[in-house]
Amino acid sequence: MVSTALRNDGADASLRAAEPAEWAVSSGLTGYAEAVAVMEQRAAAIYAGDAPELIWLLEHPPLYTGGTSAKTDDLLAPDRFPVFKSARGGQYTYHGPGQRVVYVMLDLSRRGRDVRAFVRGLEGWLIATLAEFGVKGERREGRVGVWVDRTRPSATIHEDKIAAIGVRIRRWVSFHGIALNVEPDLTHFTGITPCGVSDPGLGVTSLVDLGLPVTMADADIALRNSFEEIFGPTVDAAAPM
């Protein structure tokens, strides 16, 4: 078992809520534009008090999204997959089969109203999830997301990104969220400069790439356990589409 101290690294107690958030998992592949429309509607309903919070797990077909800080030069292969402009923070990223995307629609007015603490909580959630599989995920100053140190003795520094974070907050309700690489095709990341990081010593990895026989179902169980320890209880719900 992973210690509570490790699991809750960086978690702020104010992020927890007594009322459970809905937890929904979509099967198959979900279109990006359709998912964004659902998120927009749900975030508005949460703000209005007409719907509970929602954590939505899904997979997208292969595509690239550019966040609010995306630079044109970082889209290296614009014709490879569909490209979407996204309202989330961050730069270019890839989504596709084998990557667990989790859209996080939480009412931060009930969770501390602290954006920095919220993002740190998302990082802590991913770090705790990875710890379930014996992987040490780490934060890096100046680099958003969660990283794995793969430096070998007498080798130059090499770190790989295993999970990305890109969120938007409107009227204190969050949407967009996180992406955990379980078993995506890592060559698909070569069509972009992921998150604007071009250092040759920094790459992209996944749980399976690290030699771990982790299924999407395994990842989902770990994600839910770790979420509840940081953000509070969840309850099963039907997928919104």
Side-chain angles (χ1 to χ4, degrees):
M1 287 293 293
V2 180
S3 71
T4 301
L6 176 59
R7 284 179 168 280
N8 292 325
D9 173 36
D12 187 322
S14 67
L15 292 173
R16 295 181 62 85
E19 291 296 320
E22 292 191 339
W23 187 275
V25 183
S26 286
S27 60
L29 301 179
T30 302
Y32 184 76
E34 294 83 355
V36 170
V38 169
M39 279 194 290
E40 293 270 2
Q41 292 170 2
R42 185 58 173 255
I46 292 170
Y47 172 75
D50 295 332
E53 297 173 311
L54 175 65
I55 308 301
W56 182 21
L57 287 72
L58 52 80
E59 291 176 86
H60 286 305
L63 57 91
Y64 298 127
T65 70
T68 55
S69 301
K71 300 176 182 177
T72 303
D73 291 346
D74 287 337
L75 181 58
L76 307 178
D79 299 323
R80 187 171 185 181
F81 298 125
V83 180
F84 295 88
K85 184 177 180 180
S86 175
R88 64 164 172 79
Q91 302 186 47
Y92 277 105
T93 194
Y94 165 77
H95 292 315
Q99 181 191 70
R100 178 51 90 203
V101 173
V102 187
Y103 289 134
V104 181
M105 287 154 272
L106 296 179
D107 184 355
L108 300 189
S109 67
R110 298 193 286 122
R111 294 175 181 268
R113 288 198 175 210
D114 186 331
V115 175
R116 192 179 298 271
F118 174 59
V119 173
R120 191 167 179 82
L122 296 177
E123 292 171 340
W125 173 22
L126 286 164
I127 289 169
T129 298
L130 292 169
E132 289 268 359
F133 304 106
V135 174
K136 185 180 181 182
E138 299 178 300
R139 299 177 176 89
R140 287 292 180 265
E141 188 69 29
R143 285 189 252 139
V144 178
V146 175
W147 298 77
V148 176
D149 187 348
R150 305 186 78 179
T151 306
R152 302 292 188 271
S154 303
T156 56
I157 188 169
H158 188 95
E159 297 175 350
D160 285 345
K161 191 172 190 176
I162 195 167
I165 298 173
V167 294
R168 176 77 183 269
I169 296 170
R170 180 185 297 152
R171 296 181 296 193
W172 291 109
V173 177
S174 68
F175 55 112
H176 295 280
I178 65 172
L180 173 63
N181 294 335
V182 180
E183 192 180 7
D185 185 336
L186 296 178
T187 67
H188 290 177
F189 285 90
T190 62
I192 57 172
T193 303
C195 300
V197 179
S198 58
D199 189 313
L202 304 175
V204 181
T205 191
S206 69
L207 287 166
V208 171
D209 182 54
L210 293 174
L212 300 168
V214 178
T215 67
M216 194 66 76
D218 296 331
D220 289 351
I221 292 169
L223 281 163
R224 190 168 189 174
N225 290 340
S226 300
F227 176 90
E228 291 184 339
E229 293 189 8
I230 294 175
F231 292 98
T234 62
V235 61
D236 289 338
M241 60 175 295

